[in-house]
Structure formats: structure tokens, C-alpha cells
Amino acid sequence: MSGGPKTVPASQRVAKPLLRALGGERVAPPPIWLMRQAGRYLAEYRAMRTQAGSFMALCLDPALAAEVTLQPIRRFEFDAAILFSDILMVPHGLGQRVGFEDGIGPQLDALADGGALSRLSLAPLTTRLAPVYRAIELVRRELPETVALIGFAGAPWTVASYMIEGGPSEDYAKAKAWMTRDAAAFERLIALLVEATTMHLCAQAAAGAEALQLFDSWAGALAEPERRRWCLAPAAEIVARVKRRFPEVRIILFPRGAGSLYRDYAAVPGVDALSLDSTVELDWARDELQGKVALQGNLDPKLLVAGGSAMRAAVARILDRLADGRFVFNLGHGILPETPVAHVAALVAQVRAHRR
Ligand code: CP3
């Protein structure tokens, strides 16, 4: 036998399981990755976070961001890496001051009213965020060839809520007041964010992201007419514009708490997959959504903290309902910092052992 590994021609290489599932194939066992899979539940993340000094510094150092992105891949062999970054990079790129304080979360210089929009600018966005795109290039070089790279952004409503509130909020009172009292200015802010988000996602695709997820974490805070106008319509616009430039890139929408409006999201032209929050009823999702798009989700992150038989039963139920169709295993929201690493390993093993 002549030595050396055979090089497989590109045409014969097996496509990445995540990209096959997002493209509409049933993949068995289903691919798995977890929202916030790089984070404080990992000791190696906490060490890098300390080394970087601040969360922003970690996000804006390409080598450190790439390293943190790869940490959960090395440990758990997930089917996808999600770029380590944050949805608040876009306000930073637009010129708003963004910081993260331990124990409090994000802190922004809140936009007081429509007048504050004149201090934001699209022009420097992709330059200010260049370290993010560089991190994507670095990750792509290191990833095993079966692992896909996901880029992401926050959806306009969720990002606007932080920009207006200045940080996390219980009731979105200021953002909702803007929306009703000065609808024209609110519309300008959302339009600016549609533009900025499209630019940011396209730059990530150009740098090597193969799939893109749009996080609308607070979609559930709005009543239906507002949810259609400020969540669904901007998402559809962003999908259309990104797909026009990057027809091959797979797009996942995560309108958390959207309820039956998930059906309208499934009908958005160009959307490949929907990420289901933990409240979505699985039989309904299979019957109403899975024929149109791939589904991702939806284990309650609290059950990953609990582990044991409660977790195993919930995982089995999700696989029973959704794994016969196009499906990607995930949580219904981000992994919690108190999650035991052993429970994540047990989850991956259970999903990988699934046969039918
Ligand atoms: O999924 C991943 O692993 C990729 C990285 C990622 C982070 N944030 C890292 C992060 C992603 C995709 C996000 C998205 C994000 N950021 C969302 C949408 C998803 C969701 O969870 O709803 C939102 C709302 C934010 C804004 C944000 N960033 C908040 C509210 C906080 C503080 C909350 C907390 O857990 O402390 C952050 C900080 C943040 N983003 C951390 C991480 C790992 C923790 C920061 C730290 O290390 O101290």
C-alpha cells in the first residue's frame, strides 16, 4: 500500500450535518449545538474572560474570540460552532457606548429620544466590527471539516430595546413609550437597525460564516400587531437582503416567545430554519412548521441544569416528536452559567445515540 492519507475531492466530501439539516434533509442522529455554548459554565471560558479583562475586550480580540468559540467544540464535538460575540456589537458599531458590568449585565448610554439617532452612524460599522470578521476567518481555519460555523446578530426590536433602556429591562417601558409616543422616530431606529444588521450579517457571511441566526429574544414582550410590525417585518426584510447577496448561506430565525406567529415566520421567503423556544408545543410545531422549514430546539435550559431522568425524558420527547423530520437539537434559550458540564456531555451522548 502506498502511504499517506487520501485527499477526497471536494465534490465527494460529506456535507456538514448541520448544513444538511438546515438545507431540508433529515439527518440521523440530528446535529446538535447549544445557544451560548461558549460561556461561564466552562472553566476555560472563565479563565479567558479574566485574561481579557472585560467582556468587550474578549469580543473585540480576534484571537481570544476565536479561541473561546472553539472551546466547546473541543470539549463536546458539537456539530456547529457559534461565533463568540454579542448582539450588542451592533450598537457599538453604530457609535453607542456599550459596556458589560459583572453581576449587572450590559450597560449602554441610553438613547433619550429621536434626536439621539443623529449621533449614530452606519459609516464606521464594519470597520469598528472588523475584529469580529477576523475572528470568523481564524475559526474557519481551525474547525474540523464536519463542523459548521454560525454567525449571528440580534433582531432590530431586541437590540433597540437595549439601546433605549440602556440595559436589561423588566417591562420595556421606555422602549414601548417611544414606540407609541414617537412612532416616526422609532421607525427610523428600526430602519437603521435593519440596515446595520444586514451589513453585519453579510460581513460575517463574507468572512466565512455558513449559517446566520437572528436572535429576537424579546419578541414575546410585544402584542401581536406590534410583533408583526417590529419583529416579523424587519426579520423578513433582513432575510431577503442577506439572501440576495448570499443565496447559499442558511438563515435561522429565533423569535423567542412569538407563539402562533411562528407560523408566519415559517412563511418568510428565504428562511431555512426556526429556533423554537421552550414554550412551543411540539406536535403543533411538527404539523404546522416542519413541512416548511427545519426546526431547532427546544429543551428548557433549566432541565439541562437539572440533568438526570427529568432531562432524559424531555430530550426523548423532543426527539420523538421532531427527529423524523428536518431537525437540529438545541435548547429553547441560552445555556445557564450554573449548568454542570457533565450534563452537557450526557445530553450530547443521548442525542447522538438516537436511532429510528
Ligand atoms: O451562543 C453563543 O455561545 C455565542 C455567544 C453569544 C453571547 N451572547 C455571549 C455572551 C450570543 C449568541 C449572545 C446573544 C445575546 N446577547 C442575546 C440573545 C440571546 C439571548 O440569550 O437571549 C442577548 C439578549 C444578549 C445581550 C447580553 N449579553 C446580555 C443580556 C448579557 C448578560 C447576561 C448574562 O448572562 O450575564 C450578555 C453577556 C454575554 N453574552 C455573556 C456571554 C457569554 C456573559 C458575559 C460574561 O462573560 O460575563
Side-chain angles (χ1 to χ4, degrees), residues 33-41 45-46 49 54-55 58-59 68-69 72 81-88 100-106 150-155 158-159 161-162 167-168 213-218 254 256 333-337:
W33 69 278
L34 303 179
M35 288 189 260
R36 293 272 187 107
Q37 64 191 17
R40 284 167 297 182
Y41 76 109
Y45 171 82
R46 296 193 298 271
R49 170 82 164 71
S54 76
F55 180 74
L58 186 53
C59 289
V68 167
T69 303
I82 180 162
L83 170 70
F84 182 80
S85 188
D86 199 84
I87 64 166
L88 300 179
F100 286 81
E101 262 144 71
D102 289 332
I104 305 175
I150 303 172
F152 71 91
T158 291
V159 174
S161 78
Y162 286 99
Q213 179 156 324
L214 192 64
F215 287 84
D216 213 349
S217 306
W218 313 129
F254 179 43
R256 193 165 81 92
H333 196 195
I335 195 165
L336 295 161

Coordinates of all heavy atoms in Angstrom, one line a residue, residues 33-41 45-46 49 54-55 58-59 68-69 72 81-88 100-106 150-155 158-159 161-162 167-168 213-218 254 256 333-337, ligand 1:
W33 N -26.1 21.6 18.6 CA -25.2 22.7 19.2 C -26.1 23.4 20.2 O -27.3 23.1 20.2 CB -24.7 23.7 18.1 CG -25.7 24.5 17.4 CD1 -26.6 24.2 16.4 CD2 -26.0 25.9 17.7 NE1 -27.4 25.2 16.0 CE2 -27.1 26.3 16.8 CE3 -25.6 26.8 18.7 CZ2 -27.6 27.6 16.9 CZ3 -26.1 28.1 18.7 CH2 -27.1 28.5 17.8
L34 N -25.6 24.2 21.0 CA -26.4 24.9 22.1 C -26.2 26.4 22.1 O -25.0 26.8 22.0 CB -26.0 24.3 23.5 CG -26.1 22.8 23.6 CD1 -25.7 22.4 25.1 CD2 -27.5 22.3 23.4
M35 N -27.2 27.1 22.2 CA -27.1 28.6 22.3 C -26.3 28.9 23.5 O -26.6 28.3 24.6 CB -28.5 29.2 22.3 CG -29.2 29.1 21.0 SD -30.7 30.1 21.0 CE -31.9 28.8 21.3
R36 N -25.4 29.9 23.4 CA -24.5 30.3 24.4 C -23.6 29.1 24.9 O -23.2 29.0 26.1 CB -25.2 30.8 25.7 CG -26.0 32.1 25.5 CD -25.1 33.3 25.7 NE -25.8 34.5 25.7 CZ -26.2 35.2 26.7 NH1 -25.8 34.9 27.9 NH2 -26.8 36.3 26.6
Q37 N -23.2 28.3 23.9 CA -22.3 27.1 24.3 C -21.0 27.5 24.7 O -20.3 26.7 25.4 CB -22.3 26.1 23.1 CG -21.6 26.6 21.8 CD -21.8 25.7 20.7 OE1 -22.7 24.8 20.7 NE2 -21.0 25.8 19.6
A38 N -20.5 28.7 24.4 CA -19.3 29.3 24.9 C -19.7 30.2 26.0 O -20.5 31.1 25.8 CB -18.5 30.0 23.9
G39 N -19.3 30.0 27.3 CA -19.7 30.9 28.3 C -19.3 30.4 29.7 O -18.5 29.5 29.8
R40 N -19.9 31.1 30.7 CA -19.4 31.0 32.1 C -19.5 29.6 32.7 O -18.9 29.3 33.7 CB -20.1 32.0 32.9 CG -19.5 33.4 32.7 CD -20.4 34.4 33.4 NE -21.7 34.4 32.7 CZ -22.7 35.2 33.0 NH1 -22.6 36.1 34.0 NH2 -23.9 35.1 32.4
Y41 N -20.3 28.7 32.1 CA -20.4 27.3 32.7 C -19.1 26.6 32.4 O -18.8 25.5 33.0 CB -21.6 26.5 32.1 CG -21.4 26.0 30.7 CD1 -21.2 24.7 30.5 CD2 -21.4 26.9 29.6 CE1 -21.1 24.2 29.2 CE2 -21.2 26.5 28.4 CZ -21.0 25.1 28.1 OH -20.8 24.7 26.8
Y45 N -13.5 29.1 29.7 CA -14.1 30.4 29.3 C -13.8 31.4 30.4 O -13.3 32.5 30.1 CB -15.6 30.3 29.1 CG -16.2 31.7 28.9 CD1 -16.1 32.3 27.7 CD2 -16.8 32.4 30.0 CE1 -16.6 33.6 27.5 CE2 -17.3 33.6 29.8 CZ -17.2 34.3 28.6 OH -17.7 35.5 28.4
R46 N -14.1 31.0 31.7 CA -13.9 32.0 32.8 C -12.4 32.4 32.9 O -12.1 33.6 33.1 CB -14.3 31.4 34.1 CG -15.8 31.1 34.1 CD -16.3 30.7 35.5 NE -15.7 29.5 36.1 CZ -16.2 28.3 36.0 NH1 -17.3 28.1 35.3 NH2 -15.6 27.3 36.5
R49 N -11.8 34.9 30.0 CA -12.6 36.2 30.3 C -11.7 37.0 31.3 O -11.6 38.2 31.1 CB -13.9 35.8 30.9 CG -14.7 36.8 31.5 CD -15.5 37.6 30.5 NE -16.5 38.4 31.1 CZ -16.3 39.4 31.9 NH1 -15.1 39.9 32.1 NH2 -17.3 40.1 32.5
S54 N -12.1 42.4 30.2 CA -13.6 42.8 30.1 C -14.2 42.0 29.0 O -13.5 41.4 28.1 CB -13.7 44.3 29.8 OG -13.4 44.5 28.4
F55 N -15.6 41.9 29.1 CA -16.3 41.2 28.1 C -16.1 41.8 26.7 O -15.9 41.1 25.7 CB -17.8 41.1 28.5 CG -18.6 40.4 27.5 CD1 -18.6 39.0 27.4 CD2 -19.5 41.0 26.6 CE1 -19.4 38.3 26.5 CE2 -20.3 40.3 25.7 CZ -20.2 39.0 25.7
L58 N -12.8 40.9 25.2 CA -12.8 39.5 24.7 C -13.5 39.4 23.3 O -13.0 38.7 22.4 CB -13.6 38.6 25.7 CG -13.6 37.1 25.5 CD1 -12.3 36.5 25.4 CD2 -14.3 36.5 26.7
C59 N -14.6 40.1 23.2 CA -15.3 40.1 21.9 C -14.5 40.8 20.8 O -14.6 40.4 19.6 CB -16.7 40.9 22.0 SG -17.9 40.0 23.0
V68 N -12.2 31.2 22.3 CA -13.4 30.9 23.1 C -14.5 30.2 22.3 O -15.2 29.4 22.8 CB -13.9 32.3 23.7 CG1 -15.3 32.1 24.3 CG2 -12.9 32.7 24.8
T69 N -14.6 30.6 21.0 CA -15.6 29.9 20.1 C -15.3 28.4 20.0 O -16.2 27.6 19.9 CB -15.5 30.6 18.7 OG1 -15.8 32.0 18.8 CG2 -16.5 29.9 17.7
P72 N -16.0 25.0 23.3 CA -17.0 24.0 23.4 C -16.9 22.9 22.3 O -17.4 21.8 22.5 CB -18.3 24.8 23.3 CG -18.0 26.1 22.7 CD -16.5 26.4 23.0
A81 N -20.1 25.5 15.5 CA -19.5 26.5 16.4 C -20.4 27.7 16.1 O -20.7 28.0 15.0 CB -18.1 26.8 16.0
I82 N -20.7 28.5 17.2 CA -21.3 29.8 17.0 C -20.3 30.8 17.4 O -19.7 30.7 18.5 CB -22.7 30.0 17.8 CG1 -23.2 31.4 17.5 CG2 -22.5 29.7 19.3 CD1 -24.7 31.5 17.8
L83 N -20.1 31.8 16.6 CA -19.1 32.8 16.8 C -19.3 33.4 18.2 O -20.4 33.7 18.6 CB -19.3 33.9 15.8 CG -18.5 35.2 16.1 CD1 -17.0 34.9 15.9 CD2 -19.0 36.3 15.2
F84 N -18.2 33.5 19.0 CA -18.3 34.2 20.3 C -18.3 35.7 20.0 O -17.3 36.3 19.6 CB -17.1 33.8 21.2 CG -17.3 34.5 22.5 CD1 -18.2 34.0 23.5 CD2 -16.7 35.7 22.8 CE1 -18.4 34.6 24.6 CE2 -16.9 36.3 24.0 CZ -17.8 35.8 24.9
S85 N -19.4 36.3 20.4 CA -19.6 37.7 20.2 C -20.8 38.1 21.0 O -21.2 37.4 21.9 CB -19.8 38.0 18.7 OG -19.8 39.4 18.5
D86 N -21.5 39.2 20.6 CA -22.7 39.6 21.3 C -23.6 40.4 20.4 O -23.1 41.1 19.5 CB -22.4 40.4 22.6 CG -23.6 40.4 23.6 OD1 -23.8 39.4 24.3 OD2 -24.4 41.3 23.5
I87 N -24.9 40.4 20.7 CA -25.8 41.2 19.9 C -25.6 42.7 20.0 O -26.0 43.4 19.2 CB -27.3 40.8 20.1 CG1 -27.7 41.2 21.5 CG2 -27.6 39.3 19.8 CD1 -29.2 41.1 21.7
L88 N -24.9 43.1 21.1 CA -24.7 44.5 21.4 C -23.5 45.0 20.6 O -23.1 46.2 20.8 CB -24.7 44.8 22.9 CG -26.0 44.4 23.5 CD1 -26.0 44.6 25.0 CD2 -27.2 45.1 22.9
F100 N -20.1 46.1 29.7 CA -20.7 45.0 30.5 C -20.2 45.0 31.9 O -19.0 45.0 32.1 CB -20.4 43.6 29.8 CG -21.1 43.4 28.5 CD1 -20.7 43.9 27.4 CD2 -22.3 42.6 28.5 CE1 -21.4 43.7 26.2 CE2 -23.0 42.4 27.3 CZ -22.5 42.9 26.2
E101 N -21.1 45.1 32.8 CA -20.6 45.0 34.2 C -21.0 43.7 34.9 O -22.1 43.2 34.7 CB -21.2 46.2 35.0 CG -20.2 47.4 35.0 CD -20.9 48.7 34.9 OE1 -21.5 49.1 35.9 OE2 -20.7 49.4 33.9
D102 N -20.0 43.2 35.6 CA -20.2 41.9 36.3 C -21.4 42.0 37.2 O -21.5 43.0 38.0 CB -19.0 41.5 37.1 CG -17.9 41.1 36.1 OD1 -18.2 40.6 35.0 OD2 -16.7 41.3 36.5
G103 N -22.3 41.0 37.1 CA -23.4 41.0 38.0 C -24.6 41.9 37.6 O -25.7 41.8 38.2
I104 N -24.4 42.8 36.6 CA -25.5 43.7 36.2 C -25.9 43.3 34.7 O -27.0 43.3 34.4 CB -25.1 45.1 36.2 CG1 -24.6 45.5 37.6 CG2 -26.2 46.0 35.8 CD1 -24.0 46.9 37.7
G105 N -24.9 43.0 33.9 CA -25.1 42.8 32.5 C -24.8 44.0 31.7 O -24.0 44.8 32.1
P106 N -25.3 44.1 30.5 CA -24.9 45.2 29.6 C -25.4 46.6 30.1 O -26.4 46.7 30.7 CB -25.7 44.8 28.3 CG -26.6 43.7 28.5 CD -26.3 43.2 29.9
I150 N -21.5 29.2 12.6 CA -22.7 30.1 12.7 C -22.3 31.5 13.1 O -21.7 31.6 14.1 CB -23.8 29.5 13.6 CG1 -24.1 28.1 13.3 CG2 -25.0 30.4 13.7 CD1 -25.0 27.4 14.3
G151 N -22.7 32.5 12.3 CA -22.6 33.9 12.7 C -24.0 34.3 13.2 O -25.0 33.6 13.1
F152 N -24.1 35.5 13.8 CA -25.4 35.9 14.3 C -25.5 37.4 14.5 O -24.5 38.1 14.4 CB -25.7 35.2 15.7 CG -24.9 35.7 16.8 CD1 -25.3 36.8 17.6 CD2 -23.7 35.2 17.1 CE1 -24.6 37.2 18.7 CE2 -22.9 35.6 18.1 CZ -23.3 36.7 18.9
A153 N -26.7 37.8 14.7 CA -27.0 39.2 15.1 C -28.3 39.2 15.9 O -29.0 38.3 15.9 CB -27.1 40.1 13.9
G154 N -28.5 40.3 16.7 CA -29.8 40.5 17.4 C -30.7 41.1 16.3 O -30.3 41.8 15.4
A155 N -32.0 40.8 16.5 CA -33.0 41.4 15.7 C -33.3 42.8 16.1 O -33.0 43.2 17.2 CB -34.3 40.5 15.7
T158 N -35.2 43.6 19.6 CA -34.4 43.2 20.8 C -33.3 44.2 21.0 O -33.0 44.7 22.1 CB -34.0 41.8 20.7 OG1 -35.1 40.9 20.8 CG2 -33.0 41.4 21.8
V159 N -32.5 44.5 19.9 CA -31.4 45.4 20.0 C -31.9 46.8 20.4 O -31.3 47.5 21.3 CB -30.5 45.4 18.8 CG1 -29.4 46.4 18.8 CG2 -29.9 44.0 18.5
S161 N -34.4 47.6 22.1 CA -34.8 47.7 23.5 C -33.6 48.0 24.4 O -33.7 48.8 25.3 CB -35.6 46.4 23.9 OG -34.7 45.3 24.2
Y162 N -32.5 47.4 24.1 CA -31.3 47.7 24.9 C -30.8 49.1 24.7 O -30.3 49.8 25.6 CB -30.1 46.7 24.6 CG -30.4 45.3 25.2 CD1 -30.9 44.3 24.4 CD2 -30.1 45.1 26.5 CE1 -31.1 43.0 25.0 CE2 -30.3 43.8 27.1 CZ -30.8 42.8 26.3 OH -31.0 41.6 26.9
G167 N -30.0 49.0 29.1 CA -29.6 47.7 29.7 C -30.8 46.8 29.7 O -31.8 47.1 29.1
P168 N -30.6 45.7 30.5 CA -31.8 44.8 30.6 C -33.0 45.5 31.2 O -32.8 46.4 32.0 CB -31.2 43.6 31.5 CG -29.8 43.8 31.5 CD -29.5 45.3 31.3
Q213 N -27.8 33.2 12.5 CA -29.0 33.2 13.3 C -29.3 34.6 13.8 O -28.5 35.3 14.2 CB -28.8 32.2 14.5 CG -30.0 32.2 15.4 CD -30.2 30.9 16.3 OE1 -29.8 29.9 15.8 NE2 -30.7 31.1 17.5
L214 N -30.6 34.9 13.7 CA -31.1 36.2 14.1 C -31.9 36.0 15.4 O -32.9 35.3 15.5 CB -32.1 36.8 13.0 CG -32.4 38.3 13.1 CD1 -31.2 39.2 13.0 CD2 -33.5 38.6 12.1
F215 N -31.3 36.6 16.5 CA -31.9 36.4 17.9 C -32.9 37.6 18.2 O -32.5 38.7 18.3 CB -30.8 36.5 18.9 CG -29.9 35.3 19.0 CD1 -28.8 35.2 18.2 CD2 -30.1 34.3 19.9 CE1 -28.0 34.1 18.2 CE2 -29.3 33.2 20.0 CZ -28.2 33.1 19.2
D216 N -34.2 37.2 18.2 CA -35.2 38.2 18.7 C -35.7 37.8 20.1 O -36.8 37.3 20.3 CB -36.3 38.4 17.7 CG -36.8 39.8 17.7 OD1 -36.5 40.6 18.6 OD2 -37.6 40.2 16.8
S217 N -34.8 37.9 21.1 CA -35.0 37.3 22.4 C -36.3 37.9 23.1 O -36.9 37.2 23.9 CB -33.8 37.6 23.3 OG -32.7 37.1 22.7
W218 N -36.7 39.1 22.8 CA -37.8 39.8 23.4 C -39.0 39.9 22.5 O -39.9 40.8 22.8 CB -37.4 41.1 24.1 CG -36.1 41.0 24.8 CD1 -35.0 41.8 24.6 CD2 -35.7 40.1 25.8 NE1 -34.0 41.4 25.5 CE2 -34.4 40.3 26.2 CE3 -36.3 39.0 26.4 CZ2 -33.7 39.6 27.2 CZ3 -35.7 38.2 27.4 CH2 -34.4 38.5 27.8
F254 N -34.9 33.2 15.3 CA -35.3 32.8 16.7 C -36.1 33.9 17.3 O -35.6 34.8 18.1 CB -34.0 32.6 17.5 CG -34.2 32.2 19.0 CD1 -35.2 31.3 19.3 CD2 -33.5 32.8 20.0 CE1 -35.4 31.0 20.7 CE2 -33.6 32.5 21.3 CZ -34.6 31.5 21.7
R256 N -38.1 34.5 20.0 CA -38.5 33.9 21.2 C -39.8 34.4 21.8 O -40.0 35.6 21.9 CB -37.4 34.1 22.3 CG -37.5 33.3 23.5 CD -36.2 33.3 24.3 NE -36.1 34.5 25.1 CZ -36.5 34.5 26.4 NH1 -37.0 33.5 26.9 NH2 -36.4 35.6 27.0
H333 N -33.4 28.4 24.9 CA -32.8 29.6 25.1 C -31.4 29.3 25.5 O -31.0 28.2 25.6 CB -33.6 30.4 26.2 CG -33.3 31.9 26.2 ND1 -33.6 32.7 27.3 CD2 -32.6 32.7 25.4 CE1 -33.2 33.9 27.1 NE2 -32.6 34.0 25.9
G334 N -30.6 30.4 25.9 CA -29.2 30.1 26.1 C -28.9 29.3 27.4 O -29.6 29.3 28.3
I335 N -27.8 28.6 27.3 CA -27.3 27.7 28.4 C -27.0 28.6 29.6 O -26.6 29.8 29.5 CB -26.0 27.0 28.0 CG1 -25.7 25.8 28.9 CG2 -24.9 27.9 27.8 CD1 -24.7 24.9 28.2
L336 N -27.4 28.1 30.8 CA -27.3 28.9 32.1 C -25.9 28.7 32.7 O -25.3 27.6 32.6 CB -28.4 28.5 33.1 CG -29.8 28.9 32.6 CD1 -30.8 28.1 33.3 CD2 -30.0 30.4 32.7
P337 N -25.3 29.8 33.3 CA -23.9 29.7 33.9 C -23.8 28.5 34.9 O -22.7 28.0 35.0 CB -23.7 31.0 34.5 CG -24.7 32.0 33.9 CD -25.9 31.1 33.5
Ligands
CP3_1 O1 -24.3 31.4 21.7 C1 -23.1 31.7 21.9 O2 -22.3 30.9 22.6 C2 -22.5 32.8 21.2 C3 -22.3 34.0 22.0 C4 -23.4 34.8 22.5 C5 -23.3 35.7 23.6 N1 -24.4 36.5 23.7 C6 -22.2 35.7 24.6 C7 -22.4 36.3 25.9 C8 -24.6 35.1 21.9 C9 -25.3 34.5 20.6 C10 -25.3 36.1 22.6 C11 -26.6 36.7 22.2 C12 -27.2 37.7 23.2 N2 -26.6 38.6 23.9 C13 -28.6 37.8 23.3 C14 -29.6 37.0 22.5 C15 -29.7 35.6 23.0 C16 -30.4 35.5 24.4 O3 -29.7 35.0 25.3 O4 -31.5 36.0 24.5 C17 -28.8 38.8 24.2 C18 -30.2 39.3 24.7 C19 -27.5 39.4 24.6 C20 -27.3 40.5 25.5 C21 -26.5 40.1 26.6 N3 -25.2 39.8 26.6 C22 -26.9 40.0 28.0 C23 -28.3 40.3 28.4 C24 -25.8 39.6 28.7 C25 -25.7 39.5 30.2 C26 -26.5 38.3 30.7 C27 -25.5 37.3 31.3 O5 -25.7 36.1 31.1 O6 -24.7 37.8 32.1 C28 -24.7 39.4 27.8 C29 -23.4 39.0 28.2 C30 -22.9 37.7 27.5 N4 -23.0 37.5 26.2 C31 -22.2 36.7 28.1 C32 -21.8 35.8 27.1 C33 -21.0 34.5 27.2 C34 -21.8 36.6 29.6 C35 -20.7 37.7 29.8 C36 -19.6 37.4 30.8 O7 -18.8 36.5 30.4 O8 -19.6 38.0 31.8

